[in-house]
Amino acid sequence: MSEFAQIVEKRRSVRLFDGQPVPEGVVQRCIDLAMKSASSSNLQPWEFHWVRTPEIRTQLVKVCFSQPAANTAGELIVCVARTRAWDRVRLHTLQQLQKMKAEGLSVPDAALGYYSDLIKKLYSVGWLGLLKRAYFFFKGLQGPTMRAPVNEKDMEIWAIKSTSLACQTLMLAFQAEGYDTCPMEGFDPKRLHKLLKLPRDAYTVMVLGVGKARPNATLLPRIRADRDWFVKIV
Ligand SMILES: Cc1cc2nc3c(=O)[nH]c(=O)nc-3n(C[C@H](O)[C@H](O)[C@H](O)COP(=O)(O)O)c2cc1C
């Protein structure tokens, strides 16, 4: 079995941790790896709120309904998707590309054009979203076309997709370091938003509990439904 396959096989959602903190270096390394995940247009719409303040942690556990995975985790990391923070990343990417070009590296003009102009039209919604919806409709009559994003909901889906990939990388990275995780969506999103003073465009994808599983933590065997239900050869 490949090393990767072993990590995937080993990762389980752990509901009882030993409560010991995870070394800072491990957490930092895993977050760095998570940030190497793929993201739509490389706009990296994720944020990782590593809760280290004891009072905030106590509140966060309550917000997670005091579920054992939250209560006993060594660390809690709140993984957040942002729908409107992309322009800062766009600008940074554009500046990096311009710098590379100035240094003599080959940078396609299409990439520069994309990050300086096209991308803004692609990811802007609001009144432009209404125009885009009409444009996509008529263009779609002629052939394949984009259909989204045209509104805030589309942007939420957009941000959650990429952030979820980063969450999976984060879990596998911890597993590779010998630490267990539990992804949790069992929390009160409103209270969590308030507790972490999240901005309006933030959507909490999951709270990740991290630590070492208790040796006697009772886990169900891994259950997966019939492969044929999910895998379609077309
Ligand atoms: C988005 C998401 C939310 C989840 N929320 C919770 C949760 O709130 N509490 C919990 O104990 N497990 C939670 N889980 C864990 C799932 O129950 C678990 O992944 C599933 O049963 C499969 O088990 P495995 O992860 O051990 O393979 C969540 C998993 C995901 C992906």
Side-chain angles (χ1 to χ4, degrees):
M1 205 193 290
S2 72
E3 227 173 289
F4 177 72
Q6 284 178 39
I7 292 164
V8 172
E9 291 289 352
K10 231 174 154 199
R11 186 213 58 78
R12 297 297 318 276
S13 297
V14 159
R15 275 57 182 237
L16 266 187
F17 295 95
D18 69 4
Q20 293 306 307
V22 179
E24 170 159 5
V26 170
V27 179
Q28 300 287 15
R29 275 199 298 280
C30 293
I31 291 177
D32 285 349
L33 285 175
M35 285 165 50
K36 298 218 163 106
S37 302
S39 64
S40 175
S41 292
N42 197 20
L43 287 175
Q44 305 151 61
W46 44 63
E47 278 179 4
F48 304 95
H49 297 248
W50 178 14
V51 176
R52 303 189 79 184
T53 312
E55 301 78 50
I56 299 181
R57 187 202 152 100
T58 305
Q59 291 304 314
L60 178 58
V61 170
K62 282 189 193 153
V63 163
C64 294
F65 314 124
S66 301
Q67 52 174 303
N71 211 0
T72 61
E75 308 297 333
L76 289 171
I77 302 172
V78 182
C79 305
V80 169
R82 299 280 308 274
T83 61
R84 292 190 195 167
W86 55 268
D87 200 46
R88 186 175 66 158
V89 185
R90 174 198 71 80
L91 199 60
H92 174 265
T93 309
L94 179 63
Q95 285 163 352
Q96 292 298 307
L97 292 175
Q98 286 166 336
K99 197 166 150 242
M100 287 175 194
K101 194 170 179 172
E103 285 165 358
L105 282 166
S106 154
V107 176
D109 284 342
L112 287 165
Y114 186 65
Y115 283 100
S116 66
D117 187 42
L118 185 59
I119 202 169
K120 285 196 268 186
K121 296 185 179 107
L122 200 59
Y123 294 112
S124 294
V125 288
W127 64 267
L128 191 65
L130 291 175
L131 285 181
K132 282 200 301 186
R133 182 189 281 260
Y135 173 75
F136 291 155
F137 176 77
F138 288 110
K139 195 156 182 287
L141 295 176
Q142 292 150 24
T145 187
M146 301 267 311
R147 308 275 175 175
V150 296
N151 55 36
E152 274 299 326
K153 207 72 205 159
D154 289 343
M155 286 306 289
E156 212 169 86
I157 293 168
W158 171 83
I160 293 167
K161 276 189 212 172
S162 297
T163 305
S164 297
L165 294 183
C167 291
Q168 179 72 356
T169 307
L170 190 55
M171 289 191 281
L172 295 178
F174 277 118
Q175 199 62 59
E177 292 268 3
Y179 287 88
D180 302 289
T181 53
C182 185
M184 287 172 272
E185 62 184 354
F187 55 82
D188 177 335
K190 249 189 173 170
R191 286 196 161 81
L192 194 151
H193 214 99
K194 204 168 153 200
L195 176 67
L196 296 188
K197 300 187 179 72
L198 295 176
R200 278 176 64 107
D201 71 316
Y203 180 98
T204 302
V205 175
M206 61 186 75
V207 177
L208 197 66
V210 190
K212 295 264 187 198
R214 281 211 192 140
N216 56 351
T218 42
L219 273 180
L220 286 171
R222 181 173 255 152
I223 301 170
R224 291 296 186 267
D226 196 331
R227 191 175 194 278
D228 292 346
W229 294 6
F230 310 115
V231 183
K232 312 287 173 196
I233 311 289
V234 292

